[in-house]
Amino acid sequence: MQTSTDTAANDVVTTTTPTQASSNEKNPSPLQSLWSDAALHSHKEIWGVTLADPSTHIPSQIIFQKYLNANDGDLDKAKEQLKSTLDFRAKTNPAGLIEKLYSKDKFAGLGYITSYTGTSKPKAVFTWNIYGGVKDIQKSFGDLDAFIDWRVALMETAMHELDIASATEPISADNDPWKIYQVHDYKGTSFLRSPPAVRNAARKTVEVLSTAYPETLKEKFFINVPAIMGFMYGVMKLFVAPKTIKKFHPMSDGSALHLEFSGSNIEGLGEKLPREYGGKGEELTRSGRELQFE
């Protein structure tokens, strides 16, 4: 099964001879097979992109290729995950969750989104989870459904900010810049023993995001980390592929985060970060965007 750059390029060629078209119908490419399945589903939108034929629609090619990449080119597994995602989105309506009003008492100060532009696409998009901002563990994590809605909305907002819909170049198995950064800040956390509400929320979050948002993570930084990290890594390893675990970076000093982006396509990205993370930007509470509150 091919998931190379050559395959991705072939999938965006729009002119074929009648003989080639007949052959393609009998032996569709993996991307076309995924599109055929998606076309039959009642829900045809993922991350703000209305799915279409990947041979002529680059954003759809990117999304379908991500499902192949997440499953190491295994088409059957990619189809299964794509269906799970479409089922989830049909039931949950993540795009609608973005517009929902959330409880300020539960979630204010816990999650932010920032983005930084350069001379080329895509922009660098960050989600920031500020666990030290939790004032009442039971309020924030006790209502699991409310927490998952809020967490999915934060992720969905970041994916819309990334704007795959504007992409003009296909991706491959080895080259996919359409991903986001995640930062989890544990400074000042008071739940070092990981209460049941936190454990349940962590498990469900990892389960949902790994299923419905495959190959969307560029790197994840765990900063100002306390002892709870042992548990968190244990949970993540149950649901996350080994190649994704390699993208995780624990850091004891959050102010050194700005040093991690020297290879970014966004020039001076580290300096653009909020000042509490070593950058020269405004503090996260001023530069970051939260979801809407009641």
Side-chain angles (χ1 to χ4, degrees):
M1 181 178 300
Q2 294 179 324
T3 56
S4 65
T5 304
D6 290 340
T7 301
N10 289 339
D11 274 315
V12 295
V13 174
T14 59
T15 59
T16 59
T17 66
T19 301
Q20 288 172 325
S22 177
S23 176
N24 288 341
E25 289 176 4
K26 294 178 181 178
N27 300 292
S29 70
L31 296 181
Q32 287 293 335
S33 292
L34 289 170
W35 162 232
S36 295
D37 281 14
L40 296 174
H41 202 282
S42 62
H43 187 91
K44 298 179 180 64
E45 173 274 337
I46 293 180
W47 313 328
V49 173
T50 299
L51 301 175
D53 187 336
S55 68
T56 57
H57 191 240
I58 294 296
S60 293
Q61 186 277 337
I62 290 173
I63 289 175
F64 292 136
Q65 186 66 51
K66 283 180 179 289
Y67 282 83
L68 286 172
N69 293 351
N71 293 281
D72 297 321
D74 187 316
L75 180 57
D76 289 338
K77 290 182 179 179
K79 285 186 171 188
E80 182 180 350
Q81 186 171 13
L82 177 63
K83 182 182 184 303
S84 294
T85 298
L86 294 174
D87 289 346
F88 168 79
R89 296 185 71 84
K91 178 181 179 181
T92 309
N93 187 20
L97 292 179
I98 292 176
E99 305 301 325
K100 184 178 176 179
L101 299 180
Y102 294 90
S103 168
K104 198 168 188 178
D105 286 343
K106 293 180 179 179
F107 304 119
L110 271 61
Y112 297 87
I113 295 164
T114 62
S115 63
Y116 310 93
T117 58
T119 56
S120 62
K121 292 184 179 181
K123 64 184 74 172
V125 178
F126 287 70
T127 61
W128 306 78
N129 290 89
I130 312 301
Y131 292 104
V134 175
K135 300 177 179 63
D136 186 313
I137 290 173
Q138 197 58 37
K139 271 189 179 181
S140 296
F141 298 100
D143 185 341
L144 184 58
D145 289 340
F147 176 82
I148 293 300
D149 279 356
W150 171 82
R151 185 63 186 85
V152 167
L154 191 71
M155 185 67 179
E156 188 72 15
T157 302
M159 293 305 297
H160 282 235
E161 181 71 15
L162 187 63
D163 194 18
I164 292 177
S166 70
T168 57
E169 297 290 336
I171 66 170
S172 69
D174 303 313
N175 180 29
D176 177 9
W178 294 91
K179 301 179 180 182
I180 69 171
Y181 295 100
Q182 295 182 9
V183 179
H184 289 203
D185 189 347
Y186 292 88
K187 185 176 182 179
T189 52
S190 59
F191 45 93
L192 300 186
R193 294 179 181 174
S194 186
V198 175
R199 291 200 299 270
N200 292 338
R203 288 194 186 98
K204 189 63 177 180
T205 299
V206 173
E207 178 185 338
V208 169
L209 297 190
S210 62
T211 298
Y213 295 85
E215 290 295 307
T216 57
L217 176 66
K218 188 182 294 287
E219 291 183 276
K220 179 179 285 189
F221 299 92
F222 300 88
I223 60 178
N224 302 311
V225 292
I228 191 177
M229 289 310 302
F231 163 75
M232 294 294 289
Y233 272 110
V235 169
M236 282 181 258
K237 287 179 180 179
L238 294 175
F239 298 99
V240 179
K243 66 179 180 180
T244 302
I245 289 290
K246 293 179 181 178
K247 301 175 183 178
F248 294 176
H249 310 287
M251 302 176 61
S252 59
D253 181 8
S255 65
L257 180 63
H258 71 290
L259 300 174
E260 299 293 321
F261 303 97
S262 59
S264 171
N265 67 309
I266 308 294
E267 184 176 355
L269 177 57
E271 294 186 352
K272 298 176 185 288
L273 297 186
R275 63 188 61 179
E276 58 264 49
Y277 301 103
K280 297 180 180 179
E282 291 187 309
E283 293 180 353
L284 182 61
T285 54
R286 294 178 61 86
S287 61
R289 176 159 58 106
E290 291 189 83
L291 299 177
Q292 301 177 86
F293 298 113
E294 297 171 340

